[in-house]
Amino acid sequence: MAVAAESIGWSSKTLNFDGNLPDMLVKFDQAIAEKPTAIWVQAFPAAGMQKQLDAAKNAGIVVGMTSVADEPTSVPGFAAVSNGPVTAEEIGELQANLVMRDSKCTANVAMFTLPFPIIEATDNAFTSTLKEKCPDCKVSTTLVQPQDLGTPKTASAIVSKLQSDPTVKYAYTVIGNVANGVAPALRQAGLKDIKIFGNTPDADSIASLRDGTNAWWVNQNPTLQAWGLIDSVLRAIDSGAPHPDGGHYPLAVLTPENVPDGTGVPALPTDYQAEFEALWGVS
């Protein structure tokens, strides 16, 4: 995001918080006090920070959010959303189509999800698309607690679920962190025919594509998300009207056959920076 801001001649500053809402609100208040042109917020729903959004509006500050299910309301104030509810639904529909194609409409899917509104929007689109288009497909849902991410509890819960129903052959892990450690845990448990897939892969997810232990991932590179968020804020400022998520996010379906070489999560299209700069009229 700092690089994207620099490309349009802006300076930027990062305020880190401890991952909890109270500390985020303290940092939000600090950001407002510094009177910036814009403030960006990642993944926290607007309802939890309404006081701060009102204060930003009164101070003439534009607020942009990404990875939320909310709709923006005013310029200044909560003005822009990218990677929001429309994109979330597109991802769910895309994943349903991929499962139907791969299984020839016979899939039994175990979905392992998280309690966030934006993820729930994707989950609902996935299940409703399967229900509408594939009557023979089945979906069950297991909720993963955020505090269990990155611990053996998540992989253990996934293994237990899959062992309980041998007809499940697809494990839908809604973000990369949920899938961490799952492939080796399945092998250790003797479950060798489960196809692991998901959204927003991390470096471990991409490595599991490269070694063939995951089936596919719908890629949302975090760098590309940052540029998209700045684009949405610029659109709100330029038009003077709230800019909601319009969808059409550049989603790449990565498989063991097409995943790029190297390390880390690829940003696709690779020329995204030049495309944004051309759109913004900067050089």
Side-chain angles (χ1 to χ4, degrees), residues 8 17 55 93 171 183 220:
I8 57 173
F17 65 100
E93 293 172 5
Q220 288 180 288

Side-chain angles (χ1 to χ4, degrees), residues 84-105:
V86 176
T87 298
E89 291 177 1
E90 289 177 349
I91 293 170
E93 293 172 5
L94 174 58
Q95 289 285 21
N97 288 329
L98 290 167
V99 166
M100 286 187 288
R101 183 179 69 179
D102 188 80
S103 71
K104 298 179 174 58
C105 271

